[in-house]
Amino acid sequence: MLWTSNKNLKKDNQRLVSNMETLGADLKYIRIQNGTLAAQSGVLELRLKELQTLFPKQSKSIQDLGINPSRVQQLSTTVIESQKQIVTTLRDSVIHDTVHVRVFSYKDQWYTIKGQAIGDTQHVQIQNTDTLVQVVYKGQRVKPWLWIFSPRKLEQRVSVSNPNANIKYAQVIQIQKR
C-alpha cells in the first residue's frame, strides 16, 4: 500500500512540475508548410478541483455552456488579435436624390469594410472572418535519452488563416479523472 501511495505521489509531483514549466513558458512560433506562422505551447494537466481553483473564469464558462464540469475532457482557450491598415478611396454619391454622401468599401479574403460619410458623421461596418486550427498531440519525449521508455508530452499547435492576425494567448487544459 505504501509502495502504490509513493508511486502515485511521484506521478502527481511530476504532473505539477510539468504544469509549472508550461505556465512559465512563452508561446513558441513555428513556420508551417504553407509558410504561415503557427503558435505552439504545452498542455496543462489539471484535476477538476484544481481547474475550479486556478481558473475560475474558464470553470464558469463551462457551467454557462450547460455542461457538467465532471464530463469535461479538455478545455481550450485561444485569443486572436487582428489588425490591418487599409487605404481606399472615397467617392462621391447621392442617396435619396438629395443627400450628398461620400462612400468607401474594401473587401479581401478576411475583411469586408464599408463606410459612408454623411455630413460630419462617419458610418463604418467591419466584418472579419478567420479560421482557427488547433491540434493537441503527443510531442517530444519527456526524457529523450530513454528513447521509447519515455512518454511523450502533450502539446498543442494553433494556426490562423489570416496573415494579419496574431495569436496572443493559447491554452489547453487536460482534465484528469482521479
Side-chain angles (χ1 to χ4, degrees):
M1 195 164 91
L2 285 173
W3 181 266
T4 30
S5 176
N6 187 30
K7 188 176 170 183
N8 288 340
L9 284 174
K10 280 185 179 181
K11 193 181 207 182
D12 209 30
N13 189 35
Q14 283 178 331
R15 179 182 62 84
L16 292 174
V17 167
S18 174
N19 283 345
M20 291 301 293
E21 290 172 357
T22 301
L23 281 172
D26 289 334
L27 277 180
K28 233 177 10 180
Y29 292 96
I30 297 170
R31 190 157 306 275
I32 56 178
Q33 289 178 350
N34 65 4
T36 61
L37 288 178
Q40 180 173 321
S41 68
V43 176
L44 293 174
E45 294 182 34
L46 299 177
R47 293 199 174 100
L48 190 56
K49 289 286 186 195
E50 293 169 341
L51 173 70
Q52 292 168 342
T53 304
L54 297 173
F55 300 100
K57 286 183 182 177
Q58 284 87 341
S59 182
K60 177 145 177 33
S61 68
I62 292 170
Q63 293 170 350
D64 291 345
L65 289 170
I67 298 171
N68 184 352
S70 65
R71 292 185 177 261
V72 173
Q73 295 291 316
Q74 201 172 64
L75 173 66
S76 173
T77 307
T78 303
V79 176
I80 302 169
E81 178 183 85
S82 294
Q83 184 177 22
K84 180 169 181 161
Q85 184 157 0
I86 298 169
V87 177
T88 186
T89 58
L90 287 172
R91 5 179 241 286
D92 290 331
S93 182
V94 176
I95 58 172
H96 302 295
D97 294 333
T98 57
V99 180
H100 183 72
V101 298
R102 296 174 70 183
V103 298
F104 69 91
S105 63
Y106 174 85
K107 184 174 174 110
D108 67 11
Q109 190 174 355
W110 298 280
Y111 298 98
T112 302
I113 301 174
K114 297 176 183 175
Q116 321 179 322
I118 302 175
D120 62 350
T121 307
Q122 293 282 340
H123 300 276
V124 179
Q125 177 186 357
I126 300 173
Q127 180 181 352
N128 179 12
T129 305
D130 203 351
T131 302
L132 173 80
V133 177
Q134 177 179 2
V135 179
V136 176
Y137 65 100
K138 291 184 178 181
Q140 297 178 354
R141 295 191 182 278
V142 177
K143 299 176 184 171
W145 63 89
L146 288 177
W147 196 42
I148 60 172
F149 302 108
S150 176
R152 294 182 178 269
K153 294 188 291 186
L154 284 178
E155 293 180 348
Q156 75 165 336
R157 242 181 227 171
V158 182
S159 175
V160 290
S161 64
N162 186 344
N164 303 304
N166 293 318
I167 299 170
K168 293 291 185 181
Y169 178 76
Q171 180 181 59
V172 172
I173 300 173
Q174 182 79 30
I175 306 298
Q176 283 191 336
K177 306 295 180 189
R178 186 80 172 152

